[in-house]
Amino acid sequence: QVQLVESGGGLVQGGGSLRLSCAASGRTFRNYAMGWFRQAPGKERELVAAISWGGSSTYYQDFVKGRFSISRDNAKNTVYLQMNSLKPEDTAVYYCAMGYSIATLQQAHISGSWGQGTQVTVSS
């Protein structure tokens, strides 16, 4: 049973930065692609960024390109999301998830369960 624990969220002013972390346990982390999703109030959960199992391939939604960066450390079973130039519309609960590939994460097909998420609030 995969266990994911997100951390690093908080309240930040517009234009600021945050770095989210997601620690995984209970499964062979390095065999899976990883993704960061977010869900704003009243909206569906959406994929923000994803990274392949080895880290050589990444995917970003257009609305975060140039501002967010996803990375992973397989030795630490951890995936990161560096968020710069934050905007109020980035306010959401952010979740990480495992998947067989970036393509499956793009279809919101995840392996295992969601973590508890971490709240990101960006003030204007």
Side-chain angles (χ1 to χ4, degrees), residues 1-4 23-28 32 98 110-115:
Q1 180 74 17
V2 63
Q3 294 180 332
L4 302 171
S25 62
R27 194 171 283 189
T28 307
Y32 290 85
M98 304 175 77
I110 70 169
S111 177
S113 302
W114 297 100

Side-chain angles (χ1 to χ4, degrees), residues 4 10 12 17 24 30 33 37-38 44 47 50 52 59-60 66 70 80 83-84 92 99 102-104 108 116 119 122:
L4 302 171
V12 63
S17 298
R30 67 190 63 195
F37 292 75
R38 71 185 186 187
E44 292 187 355
L47 179 66
S52 60
Y59 165 81
Y60 297 95
I70 188 170
Y80 306 97
M83 306 187 296
N84 300 325
I102 290 179
T104 59
Q116 84 289 349
Q119 175 71 48
V122 185

Side-chain angles (χ1 to χ4, degrees), residues 18-59:
L18 284 172
R19 189 193 195 203
L20 306 184
S21 298
C22 169
S25 62
R27 194 171 283 189
T28 307
F29 173 81
R30 67 190 63 195
N31 290 344
Y32 290 85
M34 295 296 298
W36 282 98
F37 292 75
R38 71 185 186 187
Q39 187 168 22
K43 295 187 177 181
E44 292 187 355
R45 195 172 319 198
E46 60 184 354
L47 179 66
V48 173
I51 188 167
S52 60
W53 64 270
S56 61
S57 297
T58 57
Y59 165 81

Side-chain angles (χ1 to χ4, degrees), residues 63-83:
F63 51 76
V64 302
K65 281 182 180 178
R67 300 190 298 124
F68 291 11
S69 178
I70 188 170
S71 61
R72 66 190 295 160
D73 186 338
N74 286 344
K76 296 182 178 180
N77 282 10
T78 302
V79 62
Y80 306 97
L81 186 67
Q82 178 67 43
M83 306 187 296

